[in-house]
Amino acid sequence: MTTIQVPLSGGRTYPVLVGQGVTSQIEKFLPFDAQRAAVVTQPGIGVSVDLNVDCKIFNIANGESAKTLTSIEDLCRSFVDWGLTRDDVIIGVGGGVVTDVAGFAASIYHRGIAVVHVATTLLAQIDAAIGGKTGVNLPEGKNLVGSFWQPASVLCDTENLSTLPEAEMRNGFGEMAKYHFLSGEKFDHLDLEERIARCVEIKASVVAADEKDTGGRAVLNYGHTLGHALEVAKGFDIRHGEAVAIGLVYAAELAYNLERIDHERVLEHRQVIESYGLPSALPVSMSDEDLLFAMTRDKKAVEGFTFVLDGPNGLEIVKDIEEILVRETLKKVR
Ligand code: GLY
């Protein structure tokens, strides 16, 4: 088992535990005076927590459709019915949808109560459950309403990954591939548990340096500009991790075209993506126009495009990239 601290100001530093069976340690990580624990989960998760305090399960719907303001209102009203107080605790048990919803509800219930996450997917363990970003979707777009609300602790039980469907693991591998380039190191010698712990360490240091996402935290979006465009483009179904994988290769090709990195480094991106069995080419049915449109979110690209790109100083935000270059580079991932 590995414990990684997310070092935050104002006594809010919290531990992330990574290892086989760490869920059994949850009692130690609850707030000292909590009398009740509201467990927010989804019916499909199938992971239970064993607690000595009074505990009740609050199910939200399965899937992304649970990320609504209605879910938040329903949860908060159920918490009141049950008598959950501001000294108690909410426990989110699940993947990113659960940690986003449970975290957001915790941030506003009684103006904020403690939340502990038991992250059950690879994606949640290395990204969603750590760093305090919470939120829900609006019909107008994803994650448009939310808050920064750091958990009191996060448990990443690798035992839960053994029953995770392959598609869900690939979803996490796309994010894991990203971390290779955030730190500039190779993970080849690490096993899965060690890789998860290393990803958590890297994320913890990025979050500690820019908790509220005002600058440096943007590097966590490496590969996500094209990745998000692939996810939102109409009429096509692609998992987040696969979209990010293609986005990483694209970002490397773009950095190469801007003479920020050499050919070797582009190959390295392709090799890492391949090592996780992830795609590196765009779906044939997706037109350049649709992707360019999605990447600018319907804004005229008069100021050029902004990407997180690799370069001599590592990952950086690069602004004002000309549309012609963005368009030309798409050919490299066709
Ligand atoms: N998932 C990106 C972030 O936490 O900032």
Side-chain angles (χ1 to χ4, degrees):
M1 184 190 85
T2 312
T3 304
I4 299 125
Q5 300 291 339
V6 182
L8 295 175
S9 60
R12 294 170 307 130
T13 293
Y14 61 91
V16 180
L17 269 73
V18 180
Q20 289 271 329
V22 294
T23 315
S24 63
Q25 312 224 12
I26 190 163
E27 201 82 42
K28 288 190 229 156
F29 294 93
L30 300 184
F32 181 66
D33 43 3
Q35 303 286 314
R36 294 182 155 207
V39 176
V40 176
T41 189
Q42 291 173 308
I45 302 289
V47 172
S48 56
V49 287
D50 197 10
L51 298 166
N52 287 326
V53 293
D54 197 6
C55 157
K56 183 169 173 172
I57 291 173
F58 296 84
N59 272 312
I60 57 173
N62 277 327
E64 182 83 12
S65 66
K67 280 183 62 170
T68 62
L69 283 168
T70 308
S71 300
I72 299 295
E73 181 179 358
D74 290 348
L75 275 177
C76 290
R77 292 182 67 182
S78 309
F79 295 157
V80 177
D81 275 353
W82 188 48
L84 192 73
T85 73
R86 64 186 306 184
D87 295 326
D88 292 327
V89 63
I90 292 173
I91 303 177
V93 180
V97 168
V98 168
T99 59
D100 277 4
V101 169
F104 187 35
S107 75
I108 56 173
Y109 185 69
H110 281 295
R111 298 194 178 82
I113 85 166
V115 64
V116 169
H117 294 312
V118 178
T120 61
T121 64
L122 181 59
L123 188 66
Q125 296 187 354
I126 62 173
D127 187 28
I130 301 149
K133 276 192 181 174
T134 80
V136 295
N137 304 329
L138 293 178
E140 288 75 13
K142 284 180 75 170
N143 296 325
L144 289 178
V145 182
S147 61
F148 287 97
W149 190 249
Q150 299 291 344
S153 54
V154 180
L155 306 181
C156 302
D157 192 337
T158 50
E159 225 163 75
N160 295 326
L161 303 181
S162 58
T163 51
L164 211 61
E166 198 191 319
E168 195 47 59
M169 284 302 280
R170 287 162 68 76
N171 218 15
F173 284 146
E175 287 292 338
M176 189 171 262
K178 174 191 82 179
Y179 284 99
H180 285 243
F181 304 104
L182 257 80
S183 64
E185 70 202 82
K186 295 198 192 312
F187 291 175
D188 304 16
H189 59 294
L190 304 177
D191 65 22
L192 182 63
E193 190 174 313
E194 290 166 333
R195 285 184 196 211
I196 293 169
R198 187 65 195 121
C199 293
V200 171
E201 274 168 6
I202 296 167
K203 176 145 191 187
S205 66
V206 173
V207 168
D210 179 24
E211 184 187 351
K212 296 285 169 69
D213 204 3
T214 58
R217 188 164 173 164
V219 297
L220 294 172
N221 284 335
Y222 188 42
H224 284 58
T225 308
L226 181 65
H228 280 154
L230 283 163
E231 284 181 274
V232 301
K234 293 258 179 298
F236 196 82
D237 198 14
I238 188 164
R239 297 301 302 261
H240 179 72
E242 295 182 331
V244 169
I246 300 166
L248 288 169
V249 173
Y250 176 79
E253 293 287 2
L254 190 57
Y256 176 76
N257 282 346
L258 286 163
E259 296 180 4
R260 294 176 55 86
I261 58 172
D262 59 18
H263 187 57
E264 282 298 298
R265 186 70 172 154
V266 178
L267 277 183
E268 214 179 295
H269 278 72
R270 290 188 176 274
Q271 278 157 5
V272 168
I273 297 305
E274 203 177 306
S275 72
Y276 285 107
L278 293 165
S280 55
L282 289 169
V284 274
S285 57
M286 204 160 280
S287 76
D288 288 1
E289 296 317 315
D290 283 350
L291 290 170
L292 289 166
F293 179 82
M295 281 194 277
T296 53
R297 291 207 191 92
D298 196 17
K299 283 192 207 94
K300 292 272 173 268
V302 282
E303 290 166 15
F305 288 71
T306 299
F307 281 83
V308 176
L309 293 181
D310 202 358
N313 306 317
L315 297 185
E316 287 171 327
I317 298 169
V318 182
K319 294 187 175 162
D320 298 334
I321 303 173
E322 288 176 18
E323 181 178 326
I324 184 141
L325 199 63
V326 174
R327 198 181 274 278
E328 272 301 302
T329 308
L330 283 174
K331 291 190 187 127
K332 299 266 190 78
V333 286
R334 284 281 171 204

